[in-house]
Amino acid sequence: MGVKIVDTSLRDGHQSLLATRLRVEDVLPVAEMLDKAGYHALEVWGGAVFDSCIRFLDEDPWERLRLIRKACPNTKLQMLFRGQNILGYRHYSDELVELFVKKSLENGIDIIRVFDALNDLRNLKCAVDSTKKYKGHCQIALSYTTSPVHTIEYFVNLAKEVEQMGADSICIKDMAGVLLPSDAYELVSKIKQAISIPLELHTHCTGGIAEMTLMKAIEAGVDIVDTALSPLSGGTSQPCTEALVYSLQGTQYDTGLDVAVLKKAAEKLTATKDRFLAEGGLNPKALTVNPSILKYQVPGGMLSNLMSQLKSQGAMDKYDEVLREVPRVRKDLGYPPLVTPLSQMVGTQAVMNVITGERYKLSPKEVKDYLLGNYGKAPAEINPEVRAKIVGDAVCITHRPADDIAPEFEAMKEKYASIVKCDEDVLTCALFENVAVKFLEKRNAPETSEENEVIEFNVVIG
Ligand code: CO
């Protein structure tokens, strides 16, 4: 058996390189071709896709999913799901999590990749149980990072627990692209020894090491790897699918993918990418290798966020200082992995610390919530002085945060009865309330939406 491939170009690829702006009409012809290539799965849906659809593209994300499903009758479709955060940025009630899982599967998803930013398994339980209840494939992703507590042993133990929880497969999710080749070899070897379900690797090319890391992981026995079709590969995205297919051809790891089909799909996607390049929708910086992330361990997406925050404050000269502050904040906060929503919290706190000139003089509300336990358990001990400075002697909860959240669905349904047409619409409102309401109102009144669409489109490309 060779190595299986999951294509990410229609989710992470355009999320990493094109600010998640691929429209469904760009996606469908490519999806239709990729469906014939022999992939293990296509990753096509997730939080950023959903958010971008309603915020920028005026597209119903559920309809987008149904159309992709129709275009891909032969290949499994995969989505990324933030555990109790679903596709949003806060914790939601169990009943919303369950219904979102059910509706995702009903509308066309086969594999749900679920993760928690803190690897707090209590935050995954509801999504995992629901995926199994509605007969989806449940993949649990381990948020990879390095720190004094995030050792190889930590991840091997986590993998064992996750298998026990009922995962159908496990993914090492290296969102920052900081997994070194030799560490990948050891990590994959040891996890494979400890579990009996398939193991997948997801990494990013940001630091320039991803192809080497994939190869070492493959030699260590990883079952599935994530790659992106050439036009949306490299830079802050995943390694190139075609290059890996050629590299492994004729070896025991042969992927079996049809290169003629890949070539045709890549031509189609290249035309789309060229349009984005011409219109300024692809920042060439995103394509450049940035090895400094290996030092600061800051994911690519977070770097561009930090830059735009500093630019808006007229403080770009503080960029290096902020980069150095990020690991210090992360340490003070108990080494959270830098993935949504923790990457935004740590980044914003680092910017505030530098700009105010006094560490933790100001803190975002989300950081306060995190210190009160409202996102789950921190991986390591939180600096007690920092905690005291931010939240005083307020009591930190130790139970599962969602235990405090009452059912929300019926109230949402009632509140927006005039604009929601189905349960999917209610879920859209529940996750992205203000943006969702604007989107649904526009969608429901097509005669005005056309005009608005043109304006919005000009803003995006302008
Ligand atoms: Co990713």
Side-chain angles (χ1 to χ4, degrees), residues 379-397:
E381 203 206 336
I382 289 166
N383 181 337
E385 284 165 33
V386 168
R387 179 205 297 276
K389 181 149 188 191
I390 299 175
V391 295
D393 51 11
V395 183
C396 175
I397 66 161

Side-chain angles (χ1 to χ4, degrees), residues 114-171:
V114 47
F115 76 97
D116 177 64
L118 297 173
N119 292 315
D120 184 335
L121 300 184
R122 299 170 308 169
N123 294 336
L124 298 180
K125 193 167 185 325
C126 181
V128 169
D129 290 349
S130 306
T131 305
K132 300 193 75 74
K133 178 173 171 187
Y134 298 107
K135 307 278 186 275
H137 175 111
C138 179
Q139 178 175 79
I140 297 181
L142 319 178
S143 301
Y144 180 77
T145 189
T146 59
S147 83
V149 288
H150 293 94
T151 57
I152 300 263
E153 197 191 357
Y154 166 93
F155 284 109
V156 171
N157 287 333
L158 193 62
K160 284 188 208 163
E161 281 182 65
V162 149
E163 183 179 35
Q164 295 245 308
M165 262 182 96
D168 297 305
S169 61
I170 294 180
C171 177

Side-chain angles (χ1 to χ4, degrees), residues 11-12 173 175 202-204 238:
R11 201 283 295 172
D12 209 350
K173 179 178 164 61
M175 55 277 168
H202 177 92
T203 183
H204 285 256
Q238 273 75 56

Side-chain angles (χ1 to χ4, degrees), residues 253-292:
Y253 309 117
D254 200 320
T255 63
L257 288 193
D258 186 335
V259 282
V261 172
L262 297 182
K263 186 163 178 283
K264 262 177 66 186
E267 280 164 10
K268 187 83 198 161
L269 200 53
T270 298
T272 305
K273 176 191 178 180
D274 287 346
R275 199 185 75 221
F276 275 89
L277 268 172
E279 293 167 352
L282 168 51
N283 183 349
K285 261 200 173 152
L287 295 171
T288 309
V289 170
N290 184 352
S292 66

